[in-house]
Amino acid sequence: MPRVLVVGGGYAGFYTAWRLEKLLRPGEAEVVLVDPRPYMTYQPFLPEVAAGSVEARHAAVSLRRHLRRTRLVPAAVTRIDHAHRQVELDHGAGEEPETLGYDVLVVTAGAVTRRLPVPGVGEHAIGLKHVEEAVAIRDRLLTSFDRAAALPPGPERQRLLTVVVVGGGFSGVEGFGELLSLATALLRAYPPLTLADLGFHLVEGTGRILPEVSPGPGEWVRRSLERRGGHVHLETFLTSAEDGHVVLSDGTRLESDLVVWTAGNGANPVVARHTDLPVNERGLVVVRPDLRVGTDADPVPDAWAAGDDAAVPDLSAPEGGTLTVPNAQHAVRQGRLLARNVVAVLRGRQPEPYVHRSLGVVATLGLGRGIFQSGPLVVKGFPAWLMHRGYHVLAVPTWERKVRVLATWLPALVFGRDIVSLQSVQHPRDAFVAAGAPRADR
């Protein structure tokens, strides 16, 4: 059997393998998916995971549970050698690198967080691209409230309750809005603290936030966040975050224990630097409209790519040369089409080009608040928040995950968020080690 190797288990990779399982006849091809994580992260839920509105595990779709006929390899691909039809794998834990051969390659490795060389960011900031990061942000904020409530008003309390989010795109604005919503709701459980104690700052280098919507709705989002007590710094950059001393280019200086970095995506280093596949100046795999790697003049046989690591031509755009934007809508639909096209080529048929016009954008800005835009139609506030929740319940893959998410949301409407921090889970042996330590009086 030919082996179809899928590199990456994100949106595009998961949906490619999932659809291949349904389309391939028994014995027609072997599907292998390589990813170091055993799950696909449903990233639109991460801001709500950080705010405690969605259970962390419900934002993770198990690969093994839903890809029953796919061979799963828990490893990271460190090099792609398409000329010899093999990839190099790193299993971690000090194991020797391994090579894995294939007949057909599907590159869906996704993007990584774009981290700029700002002093202190690498040591103190945290991203919002993975479930573990969202959980850590939530636990750190809840722990900060516990500590701040026991302190008198002053610089230390202010530092604990100051949050800086860098990046005004979808992840940054949704994360900022959800964390601000969580923090203001927590004030009811912490009588010593008031809204004046909170310091929430959103830092964006351009002149507007949420560029995915038109300027008018984007400005409404900014005003809405500021009315709720947030501070939005436009045309401003983070210049330093060393030891929690945050310095912004507009002269603002803050003390913060929580800096969240969401300043865009960067090229996956494996795709950008460790492959013989053609890549563009941004480090994205060059693909044709049918998602095959290469160009019409210089195609690469038996290689496909989709998702955030691929430069997919946007045939629905009015201007030529436009690429599809890196979002979940495109990744899911590209994964489905890629599977159909791989099967078509295996059976001697022609693949189809990818054409998809955006259905619009929807964002949560905190519990009961949202924004939706599709062309000239704009919906704001509570109706948009309901649309956000309804859309993502329908969009999250598998009925099992849909039911689990709904089962979390419905009790939260009655009882509110769970406000218990489990930050100690990040150091599970501390209590055990301390219990065995000798007493000082012995």
Side-chain angles (χ1 to χ4, degrees):
M1 286 191 299
R3 174 180 291 170
V4 180
L5 177 64
V6 181
V7 178
Y11 287 113
F14 175 82
Y15 276 93
T16 296
W18 203 23
R19 186 55 60 92
L20 281 173
E21 288 191 349
K22 298 176 182 179
L23 297 176
L24 289 170
R25 305 184 186 108
E28 188 173 10
E30 176 194 16
V31 181
V32 179
L33 187 147
V34 180
D35 195 287
R37 288 182 168 84
Y39 56 83
M40 184 270 279
T41 302
Y42 191 74
Q43 292 185 356
F45 280 159
L46 294 186
E48 294 191 83
V49 171
S53 300
V54 172
E55 168 64 35
R57 288 176 298 173
H58 298 169
V61 179
S62 170
L63 300 179
R64 195 164 297 279
R65 182 186 182 99
H66 301 291
L67 300 179
R68 301 291 181 85
R69 295 167 51 199
T70 298
R71 176 187 165 197
L72 300 176
V73 180
V77 173
T78 56
R79 181 174 297 278
I80 299 173
D81 182 2
H82 190 63
H84 296 91
R85 299 294 196 277
Q86 64 182 22
V87 296
E88 185 177 278
L89 305 181
D90 179 9
H91 293 278
E95 295 187 28
E96 289 295 320
E98 176 193 356
T99 58
L100 177 64
Y102 60 83
D103 299 286
V104 178
L105 176 69
V106 175
V107 182
T108 52
V112 298
T113 301
R114 182 184 64 176
R115 206 181 86 192
L116 302 179
V118 177
V121 165
E123 295 77 18
H124 300 287
I126 185 168
L128 187 54
K129 200 172 183 65
H130 301 289
V131 174
E132 299 89 341
E133 294 173 324
V135 171
I137 290 170
R138 174 182 180 272
D139 286 343
R140 189 176 299 182
L141 182 61
L142 292 174
T143 300
S144 293
F145 264 78
D146 286 331
R147 293 170 56 195
L151 295 173
E156 186 57 29
R157 175 193 277 189
Q158 188 174 17
R159 177 188 177 108
L160 288 168
L161 299 179
T162 297
V163 177
V164 178
V165 178
V166 182
F170 246 94
S171 295
V173 170
E174 288 193 311
F176 185 80
E178 286 288 345
L179 289 174
L180 181 59
S181 177
L182 171 61
T184 51
L186 285 174
L187 293 175
R188 293 192 293 269
Y190 293 87
L193 306 179
T194 67
L195 186 62
D197 291 315
L198 303 182
F200 275 68
H201 299 263
L202 178 63
V203 182
E204 168 56 36
T206 67
R208 53 175 296 205
I209 60 173
L210 214 60
E212 294 84 356
V213 303
S214 55
E219 177 61 17
W220 176 86
V221 171
R222 183 192 66 80
R223 294 196 306 267
S224 173
L225 294 173
E226 291 189 333
R227 282 195 300 268
R228 293 160 54 192
H231 305 277
V232 180
H233 304 261
L234 298 178
E235 298 182 342
T236 305
F237 299 92
L238 177 68
T239 60
S240 178
E242 291 185 294
D243 298 323
H245 307 299
V246 175
V247 181
L248 306 182
S249 61
D250 64 0
T252 303
R253 294 178 176 271
L254 307 164
E255 300 292 322
S256 174
D257 276 352
L258 181 54
V259 177
V260 182
W261 183 271
T262 66
N265 292 328
N268 192 301
V270 175
V271 173
R273 297 191 294 273
H274 302 293
T275 177
D276 55 355
L277 299 174
V279 297
N280 66 9
E281 66 281 357
R282 292 168 51 195
L284 304 178
V285 181
V286 176
V287 300
R288 298 155 29 139
D290 59 11
L291 305 180
R292 287 188 287 188
V293 175
T295 62
D296 291 336
D298 190 16
V300 178
D302 302 321
W304 306 76
D308 291 358
D309 61 8
V312 180
D314 189 350
L315 299 184
S316 67
E319 298 180 3
T322 304
L323 303 179
T324 59
V325 296
N327 64 21
Q329 272 191 49
H330 286 299
V332 168
R333 288 163 177 80
Q334 288 168 12
R336 290 170 175 164
L337 176 66
L338 196 157
R340 294 200 303 270
N341 283 348
V342 167
V343 172
V345 171
L346 287 175
R347 296 174 183 173
R349 301 198 305 266
Q350 290 298 314
E352 303 172 16
Y354 176 74
V355 183
H356 172 70
R357 189 175 299 276
S358 173
L359 302 176
V361 293
V362 62
T364 174
L365 305 174
L367 196 62
R369 303 175 177 90
I371 181 83
F372 168 80
Q373 181 174 17
S374 179
L377 175 65
V378 178
V379 181
K380 305 172 183 175
F382 185 73
W385 177 78
L386 286 178
M387 295 170 71
H388 173 271
R389 289 213 158 176
Y391 171 79
H392 285 300
V393 165
L394 294 174
V396 66
T398 79
W399 281 103
E400 173 256 344
R401 272 296 174 264
K402 299 179 197 296
V403 172
R404 288 183 185 273
V405 171
L406 280 174
T408 301
W409 277 342
L410 294 178
L413 293 176
V414 179
F415 301 108
R417 297 183 178 95
D418 192 337
I419 60 171
V420 177
S421 170
L422 296 177
Q423 190 171 20
S424 59
V425 78
Q426 299 172 38
H427 307 282
R429 295 187 67 252
D430 284 0
F432 179 75
V433 172
R439 289 173 52 180
D441 57 352
R442 289 183 179 176

